[in-house]
Amino acid sequence: MNIPQRFLNLNYYLQKYLGELPPPPLHPASRQPVGPEDLTPLFPMELIKQEVSVDEFVDIPDEVREIYKLYRPSPLIRAKRLEKALKTPARIYYKYEGVSPAGSHKLNTALVQAYYSKKEGVKRLVTETGAGQWGSALALATKFFGLKCLVYMVKISFEQKPYRRVVMELFDAKVVPSPSKKTRVGRSFLKQYPRTHGSLGMAIAEAIEVAAGDEATKYSLGSVLNHVLLHQTVIGLEAKDQFKALGDEPDVVIGCCGGGSNFSGLAFPFLVDKLSGKKPNRRFVGVEPSSCASMSKGEYRYDFGDTGQQTPLLKMETLGSDFVPPPIHAGGLRYHGIAPTLAFLHQKKLVEAKAYDQVSVFRAAQEFAHSEGVIPAPESAHAIKAAIDEALRCRRQRKAETIIFNLSGHGLLDLKGYEDFLAGSLR
Ligand SMILES: *Cc1c(COP(=O)(O)O)cnc(C)c1O
């Protein structure tokens, strides 16, 4: 099994089979599509090119593939003991991204972003992080490529989840709880919401302000944008090869959705067969927390990507850029919107959305741990819950379908959530 040489660009196939692309980002003032010149203060040029590319494939740099070898190809595992426990005729597989040294899929894109930043002479990357997965992935990636890293971490996670902060600091990143007094926009949030727990939307606004004000610093985003989804297709490309070797292929593809990158990364290579008509009945299920369900409950409209209303307008399914999600333990899913491409696919009914409450998700996580031994990230447990429900449907319908879900990360740094779950104190 080899590491893919190229990422897969869904836009090429959307153009080819639907004759239509997701609506472009708009400049908030002019309401015209943003051009590269609007984005150059924030992102390296190569990533801006990838953002709008309609080429079928994008090469993975050799330097990045070399580091991927530390943990890729990630395993595709059949959850046989879970199948047995559920008494289902379905075959349940999971792609395990928790083997990354950062503990989640996020390193897949962090490495590419750090690589191109370094290549283009950037000195420092600034970003936001929720539960800390993205921050720790970027801290590791910037260390590997010799860049500095500044992370605005959502305040509730900074306080409740000290271990990921320690991980980031161990890799020499500077971590600041958000909202902070360090930025103009942070001070305005503190004035407006003095007791706020913070949110990804606020932390993004702080990071963008810093990047926009310093030429040697670029901004880095861990989800939502096309180039991030593109980098995550390494997951689905590998899974497709792995299924081929097994002589099986999925009927249902499942992933949890914060901004939508890990689900898209697994799903897009399999979605190509649905678009082409080769696998018209294959289903795709994105899973969200019911307390922050942008696909299930949001409106499809242009909205800001951040609470400070500084980003270009993105056509998303959104709960509103001023929505502050409740402090659930799946911090990586606390985002008011969803990747424009995923929102577009959901609107076209090519992708389904499901939402579950926190307690049923932790129950599913425990059931999975009991049979497979892996403690999943609370984010990933949303996908597990949906996979279990699909497997139970297969039992009722006596159907031997093949189900795959993405196990986007391990939960060994999320034990506070599990502690609350065991104590019965989860809301
Ligand atoms: C960040 C994160 C998510 C959510 O982000 P997506 O862009 O939707 O993938 C899911 N799972 C884990 C483990 C994460 O760290």
Side-chain angles (χ1 to χ4, degrees), residues 377-399:
E379 290 86 356
S380 320
H382 288 72
I384 295 175
K385 169 68 180 152
I388 289 176
D389 278 4
E390 289 292 332
L392 293 175
R393 174 189 58 77
C394 288
R395 183 172 80 183
R396 283 193 304 275
Q397 300 178 342
R398 298 173 200 275
K399 278 188 177 163

Side-chain angles (χ1 to χ4, degrees), residues 173-357:
K174 182 169 166 44
V175 188
V176 178
S178 167
S180 79
K181 291 184 180 154
K182 296 205 184 271
T183 61
R184 194 180 37 74
V185 70
R187 290 189 291 276
S188 81
F189 292 142
L190 286 170
K191 207 165 160 195
Q192 202 180 343
Y193 318 97
R195 291 154 58 99
T196 183
H197 295 294
S199 71
L200 271 180
M202 292 184 195
I204 293 173
E206 290 204 274
I208 287 184
E209 182 180 319
V210 171
D214 175 8
E215 212 160 306
T217 299
K218 296 280 182 197
Y219 169 65
S220 182
L221 191 60
S223 188
V224 180
L225 298 180
N226 288 344
H227 66 265
V228 180
L229 275 46
L230 173 79
H231 303 155
Q232 295 298 351
T233 60
V234 70
I235 302 172
L237 289 165
E238 285 177 6
K240 235 178 156 176
D241 276 355
Q242 288 164 320
F243 270 119
K244 205 176 272 172
L246 291 168
D248 199 352
E249 50 185 354
D251 300 298
V252 189
V253 180
I254 300 171
C256 65
C257 291
S261 73
N262 87 85
F263 174 50
S264 299
L266 174 67
F268 287 178
F270 292 106
L271 188 65
V272 170
D273 304 332
K274 188 178 177 85
L275 291 168
S276 72
K278 204 171 127 201
K279 284 277 158 196
N281 298 324
R282 184 175 283 165
R283 292 172 50 224
F284 297 85
V285 183
V287 194
E288 314 177 289
S290 43
S291 60
C292 188
S294 38
M295 280 201 285
S296 310
K297 295 184 200 152
E299 266 180 74
Y300 190 47
R301 62 174 167 89
Y302 273 102
D303 193 11
F304 293 96
D306 69 320
T307 310
Q309 311 203 330
Q310 299 184 80
T311 67
L313 291 164
L314 302 173
K315 183 106 184 229
M316 306 191 282
E317 291 169 320
T318 175
L319 299 166
S321 57
D322 56 354
F323 177 76
V324 180
I328 54 167
H329 280 286
L333 306 185
R334 294 178 69 237
Y335 183 63
H336 65 271
I338 191 79
T341 304
L342 213 44
F344 173 82
L345 294 169
H346 183 222
Q347 291 290 319
K348 296 271 175 209
K349 303 202 175 351
L350 290 159
V351 163
E352 305 163 34
K354 267 198 176 160
Y356 293 110
D357 71 87

